[in-house]
Amino acid sequence: REEKVDIIGLSGLITPSLDEMVHVAREMQRQDFHIPLLIGGATTSKAHTAVKIEPQYKNDAVVYVADASRAVGVATSLLSKELKPAFVTQRQQEYEEVRVRHANRKPKAERLAYEQAVAQGFHFDWNTYEPPAPKKQGITVFKDYPLDALVDYIDWTPFFISWSLAGKYPAIFEDDVVGEAARNLFADAQVILKRMINEKKVKAHGVIGLWPAARTGADDTVIFKDDSRSEVLTTLHHLRQQSDKASGTPNYSLADFIAPAQSPARDYIGAFAVTAGDGCDEFAKEFEAIGDDYNAIMVKALADRLAEAFAEHLHERVRREFWGYAPDEALPNEALIKEKYVGIRPAPGYPACPDHTEKSALFDILQATANTGITLTEHFAMYPTAAVSGWYFSHPDSDYFNVGKLEEDQVLDYAKRKGWDRKQAERWLSPNLGYEPE
């Protein structure tokens, strides 16, 4: 049977969702829809809605909703014959102002030609450096990892932010405005967390891998099967900052932190994928079945925190045991959260490596789906969603950075390295383009 649809809502979890939203809006116009379209989710913004999405759909309203708590008010206005005209007119005026500002905006910094950015990358004397060799190479799998070992690694500040309570943990408990709400929320979280652990309502699985590696060309990293370096497992493709920095700091690429193939240094790289989402949906549905949406959401929020804690915990074990380049490290959780350790674990889809498709190589060499149960969607989102994956770099000068905006010359070079055509590269790198594609 047909059911009347009053509103369509799109939620973007990862950056590839942004282009899909544009496609949906264009299809709604082509198929002559006449219902409002709501845009929301972690990767979206008013600017993206105004510049990219709204111009594609003119038959009805396109509205950016900053967070789920505002959706009811927006929907009420759009479904009211009395309220809708003024509400839509106001949004359209806002978005037109955003488009004008966007069109007139000048980049914060001039951008370099890609060749010059490479020349101004991070330089290091690899002739005098001996990279640490892992104590245990290859893959190590962790099934049903004990959740109680992860609790002390939880970063609670993002947990409160996910409930729209701003403030750092544990200081948030003393906040004059949100302190009481934070304390109550935290107490409720402990009840559910204990059930997750004691009743084994969710399970954590993970896999890590450590292999020989070498930088090739300007921005690629080759990963080898073993120390003979005769068999290539995969090649990673990195992106480089192109902003002209007044500070004189390098134009970083993750490739800079791996020893070049032509150097005497024999370097290594690591990878990981972890989840604390096995059983999460089933546990949440127990609450949904009795109409308890609060605790259903609580389960998912805690699973996310446990997955991040698992990533933090395993990275510590890698530094101390499996790679072993920091065997005496003894950092409190606060220092771990502030990334005071040596090395980094950047994740595909995040600022240092914004291309989500690089997860494909990561999952392949880790055999991540077979070893953890995590799968990738066609747009490279991970499921269960309470999952984290990424790379391990050990170089003492390695640091997190934001690739930022990319120019056409680097995008074309990247497309060639990836075996893509131009449009494919521009699609996957859309949020980072410093120009308007044709």
Side-chain angles (χ1 to χ4, degrees), residues 20-196:
E20 287 303 309
M21 290 177 170
V22 175
H23 173 69
V24 170
R26 192 179 293 125
E27 281 298 294
M28 288 175 67
Q29 182 69 28
R30 185 181 70 83
Q31 297 185 33
D32 201 28
F33 279 55
H34 288 269
I35 55 177
L37 175 62
L38 304 188
I39 303 296
T43 58
T44 59
S45 67
K46 181 187 288 188
H48 181 263
T49 303
V51 175
K52 298 290 187 179
I53 302 176
E54 196 205 31
Q56 306 299 327
Y57 180 58
K58 293 300 184 182
N59 289 348
D60 211 305
V62 178
V63 181
Y64 170 66
V65 185
D67 63 68
S69 66
R70 303 182 187 183
V72 174
V74 171
T76 299
S77 297
L78 290 173
L79 295 177
S80 167
K81 292 181 180 180
E82 293 76 21
L83 298 175
K84 183 177 179 179
F87 180 84
V88 172
T89 298
Q90 184 179 359
R91 296 289 90 70
Q92 290 174 338
Q93 290 172 348
E94 283 182 17
Y95 297 161
E96 180 58 28
E97 291 172 3
V98 171
R99 284 191 287 271
V100 171
R101 286 199 303 270
H102 179 80
N104 294 331
R105 186 178 63 190
K106 295 182 179 179
K108 293 180 181 178
E110 294 298 321
R111 284 186 280 274
L112 304 173
Y114 177 50
E115 185 176 345
Q116 187 177 356
V118 172
Q120 295 182 196
F122 170 74
H123 295 288
F124 185 78
D125 185 2
W126 295 99
N127 294 316
T128 60
Y129 176 69
E130 184 178 351
K135 306 297 184 188
K136 184 180 187 303
Q137 290 191 35
I139 289 174
T140 304
V141 179
F142 306 90
K143 289 285 190 181
D144 196 8
Y145 203 86
L147 295 182
D148 54 4
L150 308 179
V151 173
D152 288 343
Y153 293 82
I154 293 177
D155 180 1
W156 287 103
T157 297
F159 171 79
F160 291 108
I161 292 173
S162 71
W163 291 90
S164 298
L165 297 178
K168 289 190 174 182
Y169 169 85
I172 191 172
F173 294 147
E174 307 306 320
D175 187 274
D176 292 338
V177 178
V178 302
E180 182 179 359
R183 290 191 298 271
N184 292 336
L185 180 67
F186 189 71
D188 292 342
Q190 300 313 300
V191 173
I192 299 300
L193 185 58
K194 286 181 180 178
R195 288 195 61 191
M196 295 170 82

Side-chain angles (χ1 to χ4, degrees), residues 207-435:
V207 59
I208 62 171
L210 299 166
W211 303 275
R215 173 180 172 178
T216 58
D219 285 313
D220 285 346
T221 296
V222 171
I223 301 179
F224 301 99
K225 182 178 180 180
D226 54 43
D227 273 326
S228 71
R229 299 181 180 242
S230 58
E231 183 179 341
V232 173
L233 286 178
T234 193
T235 300
L236 311 184
H237 307 287
H238 308 295
L239 293 160
R240 182 174 296 277
Q241 295 174 318
Q242 281 191 266
S243 59
D244 189 3
K245 301 180 183 181
S247 64
T249 56
N251 289 83
Y252 286 109
S253 164
L254 288 175
D256 292 343
F257 306 131
I258 297 292
Q262 65 271 25
S263 78
R266 313 299 279 173
D267 214 343
Y268 299 83
I269 196 169
F272 73 95
V274 299
T275 180
D278 184 1
C280 175
D281 287 348
E282 291 77 8
F283 190 26
K285 285 175 182 177
E286 291 182 23
F287 293 107
E288 292 170 357
I290 58 175
D292 187 352
D293 291 338
Y294 171 69
N295 276 315
I297 294 171
M298 180 71 76
V299 167
K300 295 175 183 179
L302 288 172
D304 286 342
R305 289 297 88 213
L306 284 169
E308 294 285 353
F310 196 7
E312 191 75 82
H313 173 64
L314 273 191
H315 192 191
E316 181 185 65
R317 290 194 64 188
V318 164
R319 296 190 301 272
R320 295 180 61 181
E321 303 172 40
F322 297 98
W323 204 325
Y325 62 83
D328 299 322
E329 179 189 285
L331 297 173
N333 193 41
E334 183 179 357
L336 294 177
I337 292 169
K338 292 181 179 179
E339 299 157 359
K340 298 297 184 181
Y341 45 77
V342 175
I344 56 174
R345 59 169 191 276
Y350 283 79
C353 42
D355 178 11
H356 282 272
T357 70
E358 287 291 292
K359 286 182 197 153
S360 178
L362 187 152
F363 268 59
D364 284 347
I365 62 173
L366 285 173
Q367 302 170 41
T369 299
N371 288 324
T372 68
I374 307 170
T375 58
L376 292 176
T377 70
E378 62 181 324
H379 293 107
F380 297 94
M382 291 180 288
Y383 186 82
T385 55
V388 187
S389 63
W391 306 104
Y392 294 134
F393 289 77
S394 69
H395 195 281
D397 291 330
S398 62
D399 203 356
Y400 295 101
F401 59 90
N402 188 344
V403 165
K405 295 298 182 181
L406 308 171
E407 290 305 303
E408 185 177 9
D409 54 355
Q410 180 169 189
V411 172
L412 291 175
D413 181 86
Y414 190 72
K416 183 178 180 180
R417 289 187 280 133
K418 293 276 288 189
W420 288 347
D421 60 30
R422 176 186 180 130
K423 286 187 177 180
Q424 195 173 7
E426 290 176 338
R427 176 193 173 204
W428 287 107
L429 300 177
S430 176
N432 290 82
L433 297 182
Y435 63 96

